[in-house]
Amino acid sequence: MSVTTSSHAVVGTPLRPLRRGRDNAILGGVCGGFATRLGIKERNIRVIFALLTLIFGLGILLYMTFWLVLTRSGEEHSIIQQIFQDRHEAQVVLIGFIATIVLIIALLTTGSRTTGGFGWPLLLSGFAAFAVWRGASSDERSHLSEFFNSAPVIGTAFSKSRKVVILRLLIGAALVFFGLHELDRIGGFWGSTASALFGTAVLVFGVGILFAPWWLQNVRELTSERRERVRIEERANMAAHLHDSVLQTLTLIERSAANEGDVMRLARNQERELRQWLFSPETLTNAPTSFVGLIGAIEHDVENDYGVRVELVTVGDCVPDDRVSTFTAAAREAAINAAKWSQAESVSIFTEVEPASISIFVRDRGVGFDLDAIPADRQGIALSIRQRMSQLGGEAFINTEVGSGTEVQLVMPRAL
Amino acid sequence: MTDSAKPRVFLVDDHELVRSGIRAEIASSVDIVGEADEVEAATEMILERSPDVVLLDVHMPDGGGQAVLRAVMEHNTTTKFLALSVSDASVDVISVIRAGARGYVTKNISGPDLVDAIYRIAAGDVVFSPRLAGFVLDAFSTGANDQPVVVSDPDLDQLTTRERQVLRLIARGYSYKDIAKELTISTKTVESHVSSVLRKLQLSSRYQLSHWASERHLN
């Protein structure tokens, strides 16, 4: 009756929307995105953008525009959409845009030739970079900061010798100094330096284009190396934890295989511990610093001591004070009571922390009892729960009926 | 072989042991029409056989249960999904519900309870585990931790008092019948409250819900 196949259902070419690349991204993933969409090698697209850059920086401007407008693969909104979703961000970015335009106009009027070449595309691209940084998703942001952090002083990856690096820095600094001096000599930044600036810019871009691929490759290798290292460390931690807890428990289970109760208890204990480790590591500290932590301790103890499963559901949390501790102690008695007497396989505990009050419900679907005919030993427990609750200014209700289980409701106001 | 009274059930889980365990527990009460251990085969076979209920493992390679949900629901809206998971992580629960599952139970559910859940899903009801009810209450809480809650659509972003009461009772371990008795309403009304909570869960754009869902989507 049961069939398992591994045949393939999808026929035809997969849909490839134009999205910025994620795995094949160096910076923003624009080239990678085009490569995926068109089925061309990324390198070719990058060369095209680099060549376009030679035409007054067009390539860079285009790249930045696509970066803003295209949605990153795996995300729902493009950067520009993200910016306009947040009013504050939108304002900041709009102000940036206006400032850029004003700057461009100012440059156009003061030294028209300065902006004739690379000036305004570069300024616009600079603004776009700013917008990208403001609007990028946190994931993309961490990708970018990792990218820039791992970019060393350009070239350190190429020659590891310190001497060479120092030499390069000296030469670079000397050149910059000389260039500034020359600029000053021919009449300063605002003088008739358009051609000089243009020449310099072309030169810089030329060098950048020549060396960028090689530099980026180095950077990428570094980044992936670092990621790999983090991954290995995480794996080691995980292995250590699994060894300490899971493996030990499994050995114990093998040893006590004959005793069903023990096996059950061990398995449950381990399950709870692993769950906590996986899903709420913040509650792992030994001294509970939260209300939920205190309740979790009840779950742990009741399951351990009575072999009864506890279904715990918590809504909200708070920092426990003395009153909350007394309150949880009352709940503990109720839970132990249910585990001991109800004969039910499981006990449900539900807690809710609200602004004005905290409630705990302990419920079992066990035998129940007749409230009017309680044996003396159990009357005592009910009494002690009630007394504690009235001390706290709260209330305790016990709903029970023979054959349909018991529910203890505890409610405490958060402030007296 | 086919018994029209029994719901037709399809199993999706990448662990053979889990599948055979579930099969052994429910085979006598439902009609198992197939099973699959990976997303693509599952999608294809579910579309081909259109079962009443799919028991769907949340964690699988290649996109997990959500990938199956999306692929199937594009073409077939009559098949209903009950998500099964070993974890109780809120992100899992919320994201699989938002992807379209009509219920969520953990794998340590007992055989009879699972069968009951399947019948209810097949009948068009919604199955909330106590823990899921807790998550929903948490997600829709009015901000006990002082964070302001932005409500853009009150119909979707807030629970009614009655819905809250019902969810609290589910979280306390009550069955629908118990809830109906406690609130002196009919079981059908309880079901309709739970369905409406499910709708809000799927459609609301409350920060916590969309945040959880997108967190899982990115992984």
Side-chain angles (χ1 to χ4, degrees), chain A residues 1-3 5-8 74 271 275 279 309 312 315-316 350 352 354 361 363 365 407 409, chain B residues 32 35 38 40-41 44-45 86-89 108 130-131 134 138 168 171-174 178 218:
Chain A
M1 187 157 66
S2 63
V3 194
T5 64
S6 54
S7 58
H8 296 274
E271 182 195 335
R275 239 173 236 294
F279 304 123
R309 182 164 203 102
L312 175 62
V315 172
F350 171 64
E352 186 171 15
E354 287 170 288
F361 299 84
R363 182 171 198 263
R365 292 193 204 179
E407 185 177 52
Q409 310 182 1
Chain B
I32 300 178
E35 50 185 81
E38 48 128 12
E40 226 170 79
E44 185 188 357
M45 288 164 72
V86 283
S87 92
D88 284 318
N108 53 28
R131 204 156 297 207
D138 239 349
R168 281 201 185 103
R172 276 157 66 179
Y174 280 59
D178 297 339
L218 289 181

mmCIF file of all heavy atoms in Angstrom, chain A residues 1-3 5-8 74 271 275 279 309 312 315-316 350 352 354 361 363 365 407 409, chain B residues 32 35 38 40-41 44-45 86-89 108 130-131 134 138 168 171-174 178 218:
data_model
loop_
_atom_site.group_PDB
_atom_site.id
_atom_site.type_symbol
_atom_site.label_atom_id
_atom_site.label_comp_id
_atom_site.label_asym_id
_atom_site.label_seq_id
_atom_site.Cartn_x
_atom_site.Cartn_y
_atom_site.Cartn_z
ATOM 1 N N MET A 1 0.818 -1.204 0.000
ATOM 2 C CA MET A 1 0.000 0.000 0.000
ATOM 3 C C MET A 1 0.865 1.272 0.000
ATOM 4 O O MET A 1 0.558 2.276 -0.609
ATOM 5 C CB MET A 1 -0.900 0.003 1.228
ATOM 6 C CG MET A 1 -1.885 1.139 1.209
ATOM 7 S SD MET A 1 -3.300 0.785 2.240
ATOM 8 C CE MET A 1 -2.564 0.743 3.862
ATOM 9 N N SER A 2 1.958 1.172 0.722
ATOM 10 C CA SER A 2 2.787 2.372 0.794
ATOM 11 C C SER A 2 3.800 2.402 -0.340
ATOM 12 O O SER A 2 4.389 1.394 -0.686
ATOM 13 C CB SER A 2 3.540 2.396 2.113
ATOM 14 O OG SER A 2 4.398 1.303 2.164
ATOM 15 N N VAL A 3 3.947 3.552 -0.945
ATOM 16 C CA VAL A 3 4.864 3.699 -2.063
ATOM 17 C C VAL A 3 5.811 4.847 -1.775
ATOM 18 O O VAL A 3 5.410 5.874 -1.256
ATOM 19 C CB VAL A 3 4.102 4.026 -3.365
ATOM 20 C CG1 VAL A 3 5.013 3.844 -4.561
ATOM 21 C CG2 VAL A 3 2.879 3.148 -3.476
ATOM 22 N N THR A 5 8.649 6.994 -3.880
ATOM 23 C CA THR A 5 9.414 7.186 -5.110
ATOM 24 C C THR A 5 10.333 8.376 -4.949
ATOM 25 O O THR A 5 10.160 9.204 -4.071
ATOM 26 C CB THR A 5 8.502 7.491 -6.308
ATOM 27 O OG1 THR A 5 7.855 8.719 -6.062
ATOM 28 C CG2 THR A 5 7.502 6.396 -6.541
ATOM 29 N N SER A 6 11.300 8.442 -5.820
ATOM 30 C CA SER A 6 12.147 9.635 -5.813
ATOM 31 C C SER A 6 12.170 10.213 -7.224
ATOM 32 O O SER A 6 13.153 10.765 -7.663
ATOM 33 C CB SER A 6 13.557 9.292 -5.347
ATOM 34 O OG SER A 6 14.040 8.242 -6.134
ATOM 35 N N SER A 7 11.063 10.025 -7.941
ATOM 36 C CA SER A 7 11.011 10.535 -9.308
ATOM 37 C C SER A 7 10.899 12.055 -9.296
ATOM 38 O O SER A 7 10.615 12.667 -8.273
ATOM 39 C CB SER A 7 9.817 9.939 -10.028
ATOM 40 O OG SER A 7 8.655 10.271 -9.315
ATOM 41 N N HIS A 8 11.076 12.664 -10.453
ATOM 42 C CA HIS A 8 11.082 14.116 -10.483
ATOM 43 C C HIS A 8 9.834 14.647 -11.171
ATOM 44 O O HIS A 8 9.439 14.185 -12.217
ATOM 45 C CB HIS A 8 12.317 14.604 -11.194
ATOM 46 C CG HIS A 8 13.547 14.215 -10.452
ATOM 47 N ND1 HIS A 8 14.073 14.955 -9.435
ATOM 48 C CD2 HIS A 8 14.312 13.106 -10.548
ATOM 49 C CE1 HIS A 8 15.133 14.334 -8.940
ATOM 50 N NE2 HIS A 8 15.294 13.213 -9.604
ATOM 51 N N GLY A 74 16.026 35.486 -1.774
ATOM 52 C CA GLY A 74 15.708 35.031 -0.423
ATOM 53 C C GLY A 74 15.111 36.113 0.445
ATOM 54 O O GLY A 74 14.690 35.851 1.555
ATOM 55 N N GLU A 271 15.393 14.362 26.792
ATOM 56 C CA GLU A 271 14.621 15.091 25.794
ATOM 57 C C GLU A 271 14.434 16.538 26.240
ATOM 58 O O GLU A 271 14.649 17.482 25.484
ATOM 59 C CB GLU A 271 13.258 14.426 25.606
ATOM 60 C CG GLU A 271 12.397 15.089 24.540
ATOM 61 C CD GLU A 271 10.944 14.659 24.602
ATOM 62 O OE1 GLU A 271 10.685 13.555 25.116
ATOM 63 O OE2 GLU A 271 10.094 15.418 24.137
ATOM 64 N N ARG A 275 16.005 19.786 24.378
ATOM 65 C CA ARG A 275 15.082 20.803 23.915
ATOM 66 C C ARG A 275 15.480 22.181 24.420
ATOM 67 O O ARG A 275 15.518 23.150 23.692
ATOM 68 C CB ARG A 275 13.704 20.501 24.480
ATOM 69 C CG ARG A 275 12.647 20.287 23.490
ATOM 70 C CD ARG A 275 11.405 19.837 24.218
ATOM 71 N NE ARG A 275 10.958 18.589 23.676
ATOM 72 C CZ ARG A 275 10.500 18.453 22.439
ATOM 73 N NH1 ARG A 275 10.435 19.488 21.636
ATOM 74 N NH2 ARG A 275 10.108 17.288 21.992
ATOM 75 N N PHE A 279 16.461 25.150 22.015
ATOM 76 C CA PHE A 279 15.487 26.184 21.726
ATOM 77 C C PHE A 279 15.481 27.349 22.701
ATOM 78 O O PHE A 279 15.047 28.419 22.355
ATOM 79 C CB PHE A 279 14.083 25.582 21.646
ATOM 80 C CG PHE A 279 13.989 24.482 20.652
ATOM 81 C CD1 PHE A 279 13.558 23.228 21.007
ATOM 82 C CD2 PHE A 279 14.377 24.701 19.341
ATOM 83 C CE1 PHE A 279 13.489 22.216 20.085
ATOM 84 C CE2 PHE A 279 14.324 23.690 18.413
ATOM 85 C CZ PHE A 279 13.878 22.445 18.780
ATOM 86 N N ARG A 309 4.377 12.643 32.901
ATOM 87 C CA ARG A 309 4.722 13.638 31.903
ATOM 88 C C ARG A 309 4.062 14.979 32.243
ATOM 89 O O ARG A 309 2.885 15.017 32.604
ATOM 90 C CB ARG A 309 4.261 13.163 30.533
ATOM 91 C CG ARG A 309 4.621 14.124 29.470
ATOM 92 C CD ARG A 309 4.549 13.549 28.080
ATOM 93 N NE ARG A 309 5.404 14.350 27.236
ATOM 94 C CZ ARG A 309 6.615 13.991 26.854
ATOM 95 N NH1 ARG A 309 7.103 12.832 27.202
ATOM 96 N NH2 ARG A 309 7.340 14.794 26.106
ATOM 97 N N LEU A 312 3.916 21.547 29.704
ATOM 98 C CA LEU A 312 4.051 22.908 30.213
ATOM 99 C C LEU A 312 3.847 23.921 29.093
ATOM 100 O O LEU A 312 4.471 23.826 28.048
ATOM 101 C CB LEU A 312 5.442 23.078 30.827
ATOM 102 C CG LEU A 312 5.796 24.480 31.303
ATOM 103 C CD1 LEU A 312 4.867 24.923 32.411
ATOM 104 C CD2 LEU A 312 7.235 24.529 31.776
ATOM 105 N N VAL A 315 2.982 31.554 28.965
ATOM 106 C CA VAL A 315 2.766 32.773 28.188
ATOM 107 C C VAL A 315 3.263 33.938 29.025
ATOM 108 O O VAL A 315 2.825 34.131 30.147
ATOM 109 C CB VAL A 315 1.270 32.952 27.846
ATOM 110 C CG1 VAL A 315 1.023 34.306 27.208
ATOM 111 C CG2 VAL A 315 0.809 31.845 26.924
ATOM 112 N N GLY A 316 4.199 34.684 28.494
ATOM 113 C CA GLY A 316 4.759 35.814 29.221
ATOM 114 C C GLY A 316 5.737 35.360 30.293
ATOM 115 O O GLY A 316 5.818 34.173 30.634
ATOM 116 N N PHE A 350 -0.281 25.400 32.893
ATOM 117 C CA PHE A 350 -0.345 26.580 32.038
ATOM 118 C C PHE A 350 -0.130 27.815 32.899
ATOM 119 O O PHE A 350 -0.759 27.960 33.938
ATOM 120 C CB PHE A 350 -1.705 26.653 31.329
ATOM 121 C CG PHE A 350 -1.946 27.944 30.598
ATOM 122 C CD1 PHE A 350 -1.160 28.305 29.515
ATOM 123 C CD2 PHE A 350 -2.952 28.806 30.994
ATOM 124 C CE1 PHE A 350 -1.372 29.496 28.839
ATOM 125 C CE2 PHE A 350 -3.172 30.008 30.322
ATOM 126 C CZ PHE A 350 -2.382 30.346 29.244
ATOM 127 N N GLU A 352 0.340 32.153 32.871
ATOM 128 C CA GLU A 352 0.247 33.370 32.075
ATOM 129 C C GLU A 352 0.600 34.568 32.947
ATOM 130 O O GLU A 352 0.027 34.764 34.010
ATOM 131 C CB GLU A 352 -1.156 33.533 31.490
ATOM 132 C CG GLU A 352 -1.226 34.712 30.528
ATOM 133 C CD GLU A 352 -2.527 34.780 29.753
ATOM 134 O OE1 GLU A 352 -3.485 34.093 30.152
ATOM 135 O OE2 GLU A 352 -2.581 35.514 28.756
ATOM 136 N N GLU A 354 0.457 38.413 33.158
ATOM 137 C CA GLU A 354 -0.198 39.580 32.564
ATOM 138 C C GLU A 354 0.254 40.819 33.327
ATOM 139 O O GLU A 354 0.861 40.705 34.391
ATOM 140 C CB GLU A 354 -1.719 39.406 32.656
ATOM 141 C CG GLU A 354 -2.234 38.366 31.682
ATOM 142 C CD GLU A 354 -3.687 38.018 31.930
ATOM 143 O OE1 GLU A 354 -3.969 37.355 32.934
ATOM 144 O OE2 GLU A 354 -4.521 38.429 31.131
ATOM 145 N N PHE A 361 -2.361 27.329 36.122
ATOM 146 C CA PHE A 361 -3.392 26.291 36.108
ATOM 147 C C PHE A 361 -2.706 24.941 36.082
ATOM 148 O O PHE A 361 -1.849 24.700 35.237
ATOM 149 C CB PHE A 361 -4.272 26.418 34.861
ATOM 150 C CG PHE A 361 -4.997 27.721 34.782
ATOM 151 C CD1 PHE A 361 -4.371 28.841 34.257
ATOM 152 C CD2 PHE A 361 -6.298 27.838 35.233
ATOM 153 C CE1 PHE A 361 -5.035 30.055 34.175
ATOM 154 C CE2 PHE A 361 -6.969 29.044 35.155
ATOM 155 C CZ PHE A 361 -6.338 30.154 34.630
ATOM 156 N N ARG A 363 -3.582 20.996 35.750
ATOM 157 C CA ARG A 363 -4.743 20.179 35.410
ATOM 158 C C ARG A 363 -4.321 18.748 35.117
ATOM 159 O O ARG A 363 -3.289 18.514 34.497
ATOM 160 C CB ARG A 363 -5.404 20.761 34.168
ATOM 161 C CG ARG A 363 -6.652 20.000 33.758
ATOM 162 C CD ARG A 363 -7.363 20.763 32.659
ATOM 163 N NE ARG A 363 -8.733 20.318 32.544
ATOM 164 C CZ ARG A 363 -9.139 19.421 31.646
ATOM 165 N NH1 ARG A 363 -8.272 18.896 30.817
ATOM 166 N NH2 ARG A 363 -10.397 19.059 31.583
ATOM 167 N N ARG A 365 -6.153 14.775 33.971
ATOM 168 C CA ARG A 365 -7.397 14.101 33.590
ATOM 169 C C ARG A 365 -7.474 12.756 34.297
ATOM 170 O O ARG A 365 -7.740 11.732 33.696
ATOM 171 C CB ARG A 365 -7.447 13.902 32.091
ATOM 172 C CG ARG A 365 -7.578 15.214 31.353
ATOM 173 C CD ARG A 365 -7.949 14.974 29.930
ATOM 174 N NE ARG A 365 -7.533 16.108 29.110
ATOM 175 C CZ ARG A 365 -7.711 16.159 27.807
ATOM 176 N NH1 ARG A 365 -8.253 15.143 27.184
ATOM 177 N NH2 ARG A 365 -7.320 17.217 27.124
ATOM 178 N N GLU A 407 -8.613 20.294 38.379
ATOM 179 C CA GLU A 407 -7.842 21.453 37.970
ATOM 180 C C GLU A 407 -7.707 22.418 39.132
ATOM 181 O O GLU A 407 -8.691 22.766 39.781
ATOM 182 C CB GLU A 407 -8.484 22.170 36.784
ATOM 183 C CG GLU A 407 -7.597 23.310 36.306
ATOM 184 C CD GLU A 407 -8.139 24.016 35.087
ATOM 185 O OE1 GLU A 407 -9.311 24.418 35.109
ATOM 186 O OE2 GLU A 407 -7.387 24.158 34.123
ATOM 187 N N GLN A 409 -6.645 26.180 40.055
ATOM 188 C CA GLN A 409 -6.398 27.485 39.451
ATOM 189 C C GLN A 409 -5.829 28.417 40.509
ATOM 190 O O GLN A 409 -6.427 28.591 41.556
ATOM 191 C CB GLN A 409 -7.702 28.085 38.917
ATOM 192 C CG GLN A 409 -8.485 27.129 38.045
ATOM 193 C CD GLN A 409 -9.745 27.784 37.503
ATOM 194 O OE1 GLN A 409 -10.013 28.950 37.761
ATOM 195 N NE2 GLN A 409 -10.509 27.015 36.752
ATOM 196 N N ILE B 32 -4.329 4.867 4.497
ATOM 197 C CA ILE B 32 -3.056 5.484 4.089
ATOM 198 C C ILE B 32 -2.865 5.275 2.589
ATOM 199 O O ILE B 32 -2.769 4.147 2.115
ATOM 200 C CB ILE B 32 -1.883 4.879 4.872
ATOM 201 C CG1 ILE B 32 -2.085 5.112 6.369
ATOM 202 C CG2 ILE B 32 -0.571 5.508 4.424
ATOM 203 C CD1 ILE B 32 -1.018 4.514 7.237
ATOM 204 N N GLU B 35 3.160 7.382 0.896
ATOM 205 C CA GLU B 35 4.089 8.138 1.728
ATOM 206 C C GLU B 35 5.302 8.514 0.902
ATOM 207 O O GLU B 35 5.569 7.918 -0.148
ATOM 208 C CB GLU B 35 4.486 7.331 2.960
ATOM 209 C CG GLU B 35 4.954 5.935 2.695
ATOM 210 C CD GLU B 35 5.194 5.199 4.003
ATOM 211 O OE1 GLU B 35 4.216 4.699 4.602
ATOM 212 O OE2 GLU B 35 6.345 5.154 4.422
ATOM 213 N N GLU B 38 10.817 12.722 0.566
ATOM 214 C CA GLU B 38 11.475 13.964 0.163
ATOM 215 C C GLU B 38 10.486 14.890 -0.515
ATOM 216 O O GLU B 38 9.411 14.472 -0.949
ATOM 217 C CB GLU B 38 12.674 13.660 -0.743
ATOM 218 C CG GLU B 38 12.361 12.695 -1.855
ATOM 219 C CD GLU B 38 12.789 13.229 -3.211
ATOM 220 O OE1 GLU B 38 13.522 14.225 -3.239
ATOM 221 O OE2 GLU B 38 12.359 12.669 -4.214
ATOM 222 N N GLU B 40 10.208 16.666 -3.339
ATOM 223 C CA GLU B 40 9.737 16.613 -4.718
ATOM 224 C C GLU B 40 8.759 15.457 -4.932
ATOM 225 O O GLU B 40 7.692 15.625 -5.517
ATOM 226 C CB GLU B 40 10.935 16.458 -5.649
ATOM 227 C CG GLU B 40 10.874 17.388 -6.828
ATOM 228 C CD GLU B 40 12.194 17.372 -7.564
ATOM 229 O OE1 GLU B 40 12.411 16.407 -8.320
ATOM 230 O OE2 GLU B 40 12.997 18.292 -7.377
ATOM 231 N N ALA B 41 9.164 14.281 -4.450
ATOM 232 C CA ALA B 41 8.287 13.113 -4.611
ATOM 233 C C ALA B 41 6.982 13.343 -3.883
ATOM 234 O O ALA B 41 5.904 13.001 -4.390
ATOM 235 C CB ALA B 41 8.981 11.871 -4.076
ATOM 236 N N GLU B 44 4.692 15.680 -5.886
ATOM 237 C CA GLU B 44 4.149 15.020 -7.070
ATOM 238 C C GLU B 44 3.042 14.036 -6.696
ATOM 239 O O GLU B 44 1.958 14.023 -7.278
ATOM 240 C CB GLU B 44 5.287 14.283 -7.771
ATOM 241 C CG GLU B 44 4.893 13.648 -9.074
ATOM 242 C CD GLU B 44 6.029 12.783 -9.606
ATOM 243 O OE1 GLU B 44 7.098 12.763 -8.952
ATOM 244 O OE2 GLU B 44 5.850 12.150 -10.634
ATOM 245 N N MET B 45 3.312 13.221 -5.678
ATOM 246 C CA MET B 45 2.354 12.180 -5.338
ATOM 247 C C MET B 45 1.112 12.738 -4.667
ATOM 248 O O MET B 45 0.008 12.231 -4.871
ATOM 249 C CB MET B 45 3.021 11.129 -4.448
ATOM 250 C CG MET B 45 4.012 10.284 -5.240
ATOM 251 S SD MET B 45 5.128 9.383 -4.181
ATOM 252 C CE MET B 45 4.055 8.167 -3.514
ATOM 253 N N VAL B 86 9.234 17.417 15.791
ATOM 254 C CA VAL B 86 9.788 17.038 17.085
ATOM 255 C C VAL B 86 10.060 18.266 17.923
ATOM 256 O O VAL B 86 10.209 18.176 19.130
ATOM 257 C CB VAL B 86 11.115 16.269 16.969
ATOM 258 C CG1 VAL B 86 10.863 14.846 16.553
ATOM 259 C CG2 VAL B 86 12.072 16.954 16.035
ATOM 260 N N SER B 87 10.150 19.403 17.280
ATOM 261 C CA SER B 87 10.560 20.577 18.044
ATOM 262 C C SER B 87 9.357 21.405 18.446
ATOM 263 O O SER B 87 8.291 21.299 17.872
ATOM 264 C CB SER B 87 11.494 21.437 17.218
ATOM 265 O OG SER B 87 10.756 22.410 16.529
ATOM 266 N N ASP B 88 9.553 22.214 19.458
ATOM 267 C CA ASP B 88 8.509 23.128 19.872
ATOM 268 C C ASP B 88 8.930 24.566 19.654
ATOM 269 O O ASP B 88 8.419 25.457 20.295
ATOM 270 C CB ASP B 88 8.189 22.921 21.354
ATOM 271 C CG ASP B 88 7.371 21.680 21.572
ATOM 272 O OD1 ASP B 88 6.458 21.453 20.768
ATOM 273 O OD2 ASP B 88 7.647 20.945 22.516
ATOM 274 N N ALA B 89 9.889 24.755 18.752
ATOM 275 C CA ALA B 89 10.364 26.116 18.537
ATOM 276 C C ALA B 89 9.259 26.945 17.901
ATOM 277 O O ALA B 89 8.645 26.522 16.924
ATOM 278 C CB ALA B 89 11.596 26.107 17.654
ATOM 279 N N ASN B 108 5.473 13.367 19.717
ATOM 280 C CA ASN B 108 5.231 12.477 20.859
ATOM 281 C C ASN B 108 3.748 12.369 21.213
ATOM 282 O O ASN B 108 3.381 11.820 22.239
ATOM 283 C CB ASN B 108 6.059 12.905 22.071
ATOM 284 C CG ASN B 108 5.848 14.366 22.419
ATOM 285 O OD1 ASN B 108 4.784 14.922 22.151
ATOM 286 N ND2 ASN B 108 6.853 14.984 23.010
ATOM 287 N N PRO B 130 -1.778 22.412 22.914
ATOM 288 C CA PRO B 130 -1.699 23.406 23.994
ATOM 289 C C PRO B 130 -0.533 24.379 23.778
ATOM 290 O O PRO B 130 -0.661 25.573 23.979
ATOM 291 C CB PRO B 130 -1.477 22.552 25.232
ATOM 292 C CG PRO B 130 -2.103 21.254 24.922
ATOM 293 C CD PRO B 130 -1.907 21.046 23.440
ATOM 294 N N ARG B 131 0.580 23.837 23.329
ATOM 295 C CA ARG B 131 1.737 24.706 23.179
ATOM 296 C C ARG B 131 1.531 25.737 22.074
ATOM 297 O O ARG B 131 1.919 26.887 22.201
ATOM 298 C CB ARG B 131 2.981 23.876 22.904
ATOM 299 C CG ARG B 131 4.210 24.613 23.310
ATOM 300 C CD ARG B 131 5.354 23.717 23.617
ATOM 301 N NE ARG B 131 5.096 22.840 24.746
ATOM 302 C CZ ARG B 131 6.058 22.362 25.505
ATOM 303 N NH1 ARG B 131 7.300 22.679 25.285
ATOM 304 N NH2 ARG B 131 5.776 21.550 26.504
ATOM 305 N N GLY B 134 -0.364 28.465 23.384
ATOM 306 C CA GLY B 134 0.492 29.346 24.174
ATOM 307 C C GLY B 134 1.261 30.324 23.298
ATOM 308 O O GLY B 134 1.331 31.512 23.592
ATOM 309 N N ASP B 138 1.033 34.401 23.230
ATOM 310 C CA ASP B 138 2.252 35.191 23.373
ATOM 311 C C ASP B 138 2.400 36.185 22.233
ATOM 312 O O ASP B 138 2.671 37.357 22.438
ATOM 313 C CB ASP B 138 3.464 34.253 23.371
ATOM 314 C CG ASP B 138 4.262 34.386 24.655
ATOM 315 O OD1 ASP B 138 3.981 35.339 25.402
ATOM 316 O OD2 ASP B 138 5.145 33.554 24.889
ATOM 317 N N ARG B 168 -6.774 30.081 25.950
ATOM 318 C CA ARG B 168 -6.288 29.795 27.302
ATOM 319 C C ARG B 168 -6.713 28.403 27.735
ATOM 320 O O ARG B 168 -5.928 27.659 28.312
ATOM 321 C CB ARG B 168 -6.848 30.816 28.294
ATOM 322 C CG ARG B 168 -6.106 32.118 28.239
ATOM 323 C CD ARG B 168 -6.287 32.918 29.512
ATOM 324 N NE ARG B 168 -5.632 34.194 29.322
ATOM 325 C CZ ARG B 168 -6.300 35.323 29.068
ATOM 326 N NH1 ARG B 168 -7.610 35.334 29.016
ATOM 327 N NH2 ARG B 168 -5.638 36.441 28.874
ATOM 328 N N ALA B 171 -4.681 25.840 26.045
ATOM 329 C CA ALA B 171 -3.354 25.795 26.660
ATOM 330 C C ALA B 171 -3.399 25.079 28.009
ATOM 331 O O ALA B 171 -2.429 24.479 28.439
ATOM 332 C CB ALA B 171 -2.806 27.213 26.828
ATOM 333 N N ARG B 172 -4.532 25.153 28.675
ATOM 334 C CA ARG B 172 -4.676 24.482 29.966
ATOM 335 C C ARG B 172 -4.950 22.993 29.812
ATOM 336 O O ARG B 172 -5.092 22.287 30.797
ATOM 337 C CB ARG B 172 -5.818 25.135 30.754
ATOM 338 C CG ARG B 172 -5.383 26.370 31.506
ATOM 339 C CD ARG B 172 -6.526 27.292 31.790
ATOM 340 N NE ARG B 172 -7.509 26.728 32.711
ATOM 341 C CZ ARG B 172 -8.589 27.391 33.114
ATOM 342 N NH1 ARG B 172 -8.818 28.612 32.688
ATOM 343 N NH2 ARG B 172 -9.434 26.831 33.945
ATOM 344 N N GLY B 173 -5.058 22.513 28.591
ATOM 345 C CA GLY B 173 -5.214 21.085 28.366
ATOM 346 C C GLY B 173 -6.659 20.646 28.173
ATOM 347 O O GLY B 173 -6.954 19.460 28.232
ATOM 348 N N TYR B 174 -7.566 21.590 27.936
ATOM 349 C CA TYR B 174 -8.972 21.244 27.736
ATOM 350 C C TYR B 174 -9.205 20.740 26.318
ATOM 351 O O TYR B 174 -8.611 21.241 25.371
ATOM 352 C CB TYR B 174 -9.864 22.483 27.950
ATOM 353 C CG TYR B 174 -10.138 22.821 29.399
ATOM 354 C CD1 TYR B 174 -9.095 23.094 30.269
ATOM 355 C CD2 TYR B 174 -11.438 22.884 29.878
ATOM 356 C CE1 TYR B 174 -9.349 23.419 31.587
ATOM 357 C CE2 TYR B 174 -11.696 23.216 31.195
ATOM 358 C CZ TYR B 174 -10.650 23.484 32.041
ATOM 359 O OH TYR B 174 -10.899 23.814 33.339
ATOM 360 N N ASP B 178 -14.650 19.948 26.445
ATOM 361 C CA ASP B 178 -14.523 20.580 27.779
ATOM 362 C C ASP B 178 -14.706 22.081 27.690
ATOM 363 O O ASP B 178 -15.339 22.703 28.547
ATOM 364 C CB ASP B 178 -13.131 20.310 28.371
ATOM 365 C CG ASP B 178 -12.893 18.832 28.612
ATOM 366 O OD1 ASP B 178 -13.887 18.102 28.697
ATOM 367 O OD2 ASP B 178 -11.718 18.423 28.704
ATOM 368 N N LEU B 218 14.368 32.609 5.656
ATOM 369 C CA LEU B 218 15.728 32.919 5.205
ATOM 370 C C LEU B 218 16.658 31.727 5.348
ATOM 371 O O LEU B 218 17.637 31.611 4.624
ATOM 372 C CB LEU B 218 16.299 34.084 6.020
ATOM 373 C CG LEU B 218 15.671 35.440 5.718
ATOM 374 C CD1 LEU B 218 16.325 36.514 6.550
ATOM 375 C CD2 LEU B 218 15.828 35.767 4.249
#
